[in-house]
Amino acid sequence: MPLDLSVPLAPKHQPGLLLANPVMTASGTFGYGTEYSQVFDIQKLGAIVCKGTTLDPREGNPQPRLYETASGILNSIGLQNIGVKALISEKAPLWASWQVPVIVNIAGETVDDYARLAGELDGIAGISGIEVNISCPNIKSGGASFGARPQPAAEVTTAVRAATSLPVLVKLTPNTGDIVRVAIAVAEAGADAISLINSLEGMAVDIARRRPVLDNITGGLSGPAIKPLALSMVYEVAGAVTLPVVGCGGITSASDAIEFIMAGASAVQVGSATFSNPRASLDVLEGIKKFMEKEGINKLSDIIGVARR
Ligand SMILES: Cc1cc2nc3c(=O)[nH]c(=O)nc-3n(C[C@H](O)[C@H](O)[C@H](O)COP(=O)(O)O)c2cc1C
């Protein structure tokens, strides 16, 4: 029997968003997808999430803005991107010919920014969904401040929901005291799915210069260091909402991804791992298939959340 890895990512939405498999790329770590199409067959992935997009183009924060730690990366890119107009005119027409769905990650400084972005993307061929980034730790206003508390998170979600007919994922920040309450608020405000986690705020000091390494002082920590944290947050959120949950944070191998799925994630995103292995997302997918064959699992849905029971 052929394996069934399909994932309905927006079951309450019409027409929904059916992924062929659960492996997605994480925003900001896979460009616009085009960059990797020479490296492997990206059409095999479940979905591609593109770089965080704002209304106007952004150059991001000054250098240095990337630093490798013992088990992860600190970044303070600050949402460098081409802006929504260029994304629609230059990237979406190409995506429209792809088999793999592309989800556009959006970020704003005000609720109105998010609503305008969602409105601009609505109905554009080549765009299959929106991931609302209320979790960017690297911009001065907006971003993670919306995701830190339930009410602003719900306000952004409501505004985006009203502005688009596309499936809406909302991406949560771990930099909050109560991610479960934020998740519930976002679900009640009309999200179709919830993705988590974005990077954790961190820093490093250059002891020779006696200065923070990053120009921005702090940055977002990602990579293997954050996996156990991400996993427990996914476990908690998946137990509190009925929406599909997309797990992200430190996934470098198929077994990492399967841990997230067993904790309750319907799909996963591969992020920083792509920097050391550009094929990481495809390797994760192939490994999940091998695991299912070895264990005699025909349907991915049979193992979603099994560690909870
Ligand atoms: C260089 C870099 C840029 C990122 N840019 C974005 C972004 O634009 N929007 C977003 O929602 N997340 C962004 N992220 C966060 C990732 O999508 C992901 O949530 C985080 O890195 C944790 O996953 P990982 O440990 O697998 O990398 C970025 C991460 C990195 C390392």
Side-chain angles (χ1 to χ4, degrees):
M1 209 178 2
L3 296 180
D4 178 2
L5 286 116
S6 62
V7 177
L9 202 58
K12 292 183 185 156
H13 180 272
Q14 266 309 328
L17 178 53
L18 185 68
L19 308 190
N21 65 70
V23 182
M24 308 165 66
T25 59
S27 177
T29 63
F30 208 71
Y32 295 94
T34 45
E35 297 85 340
Y36 289 87
S37 54
Q38 310 297 320
V39 182
F40 67 93
D41 184 2
I42 60 171
Q43 305 301 331
K44 288 185 173 162
L45 296 175
I48 288 169
V49 184
C50 80
K51 175 66 193 163
T53 299
T54 48
L55 283 170
D56 296 316
R58 283 175 65 101
E59 287 185 1
N61 293 327
Q63 306 275 6
R65 54 190 196 179
L66 260 186
Y67 177 73
E68 197 169 336
T69 72
S71 53
I73 299 171
L74 273 174
N75 95 82
S76 58
I77 305 291
L79 288 176
Q80 178 182 18
N81 78 98
I82 60 176
V84 70
K85 290 213 162 44
L87 178 132
I88 289 170
S89 62
E90 294 167 21
K91 307 295 178 188
L94 190 65
W95 296 338
S97 65
W98 290 5
Q99 188 186 321
V100 58
V102 177
I103 295 168
V104 176
N105 180 284
I106 61 169
E109 294 184 2
T110 64
V111 173
D112 190 52
D113 285 355
Y114 284 97
R116 284 174 56 202
L117 279 158
E120 300 247 11
L121 297 168
D122 192 41
I124 304 291
I127 298 175
S128 297
I130 291 176
E131 182 178 66
V132 186
N133 175 6
I134 49 168
S135 45
C136 182
N138 297 321
I139 51 175
K140 296 251 171 327
S141 49
S145 61
F146 287 111
R149 286 175 297 122
Q151 200 201 333
E155 275 171 35
V156 173
T157 308
T158 303
V160 170
R161 176 75 288 159
T164 182
S165 54
L166 285 165
V168 174
L169 287 74
V170 179
K171 183 166 175 183
L172 303 187
T173 174
N175 301 311
T176 165
D178 195 349
I179 199 164
V180 169
R181 278 184 57 227
V182 176
I184 292 169
V186 156
E188 285 172 354
D192 292 301
I194 292 177
S195 46
L196 70 153
I197 59 174
N198 207 314
S199 50
L200 278 135
E201 192 170 305
M203 76 176 284
V205 172
D206 179 340
I207 58 169
R209 285 176 47 243
R210 305 180 182 192
R211 296 289 309 144
V213 169
L214 298 174
D215 179 87
N216 193 51
I217 303 175
T218 59
L221 179 66
S222 61
I226 71 170
K227 195 191 95 182
L229 267 148
L231 201 49
S232 74
M233 289 184 177
V234 164
Y235 185 89
E236 286 194 28
V237 167
V241 298
T242 54
L243 300 179
V245 168
V246 180
C248 176
I251 297 175
T252 46
S253 66
S255 58
D256 291 339
I258 294 163
E259 281 190 69
F260 277 83
I261 292 166
M262 290 186 171
S266 298
V268 293
Q269 294 181 351
V270 177
S272 305
T274 293
F275 296 142
S276 46
N277 170 17
R279 291 173 48 100
S281 46
L282 187 62
D283 289 350
V284 166
L285 173 59
E286 300 297 340
I288 293 174
K289 286 184 190 161
K290 279 203 189 97
F291 176 82
M292 288 173 66
E293 277 159 8
K294 183 168 84 51
E295 299 278 320
I297 302 156
N298 295 321
K299 287 172 68 178
L300 182 84
S301 54
D302 288 346
I303 55 166
I304 296 174
V306 282
R308 321 185 55 80
R309 290 168 206 147

